[in-house]
Amino acid sequence: MDICRAAITAVSSAFAGSVGGSGAVAPWGMCGGIIAGWTAETISDGMFDGALAGLLGGVATMVLLGAFSAARTVLTTADVGTGGFVGAYTSVVVGLMIIPTFAVEGVVIGPLSRYVKASLG
């Protein structure tokens, strides 16, 4: 189930990043935390599952944004070597920025989501 949450987080954030740039990616880590917390049994499970969904979503986002960046560069410059370099550079930068952000967002939002679900009924 964590792979599903991570996939939803990764696809939504990669789409936001490809449309709005890497700055638009940061808030999408909350998506995995909300889903993980809502489906968790306890608040501590929501915290762990949110962190795991954020971590996996961050790694998948890094891979997807690197691939999108490389493909865009290859289509623009018609040079595979440059596309590979730009894709690798983008992956490193996004990885350093997004993976910890997504994990922290999942840790914070997961238990809050579980708490809201318990409060609603």
Side-chain angles (χ1 to χ4, degrees), residues 12-121:
S12 61
S13 61
F15 176 73
S18 64
V19 172
S22 61
V25 172
W28 285 97
M30 291 184 280
C31 178
I34 290 170
I35 295 168
W38 199 264
T39 58
E41 295 294 322
T42 64
I43 290 178
S44 61
D45 285 345
M47 183 181 292
F48 178 78
D49 291 349
L52 190 57
L55 181 68
L56 294 175
V59 170
T61 299
M62 177 188 70
V63 170
L64 286 174
L65 282 180
F68 286 159
S69 179
R72 185 179 308 135
T73 303
V74 168
L75 292 174
T76 304
T77 64
D79 184 14
V80 176
T82 303
F85 174 76
V86 170
Y89 176 79
T90 302
S91 293
V92 169
V93 171
V94 168
L96 289 173
M97 178 178 66
I98 292 300
I99 293 172
T101 303
F102 276 20
V104 169
E105 287 174 353
V107 165
V108 172
I109 299 296
L112 290 175
S113 175
R114 177 64 186 126
Y115 177 75
V116 168
K117 180 182 177 185
S119 298
L120 292 176

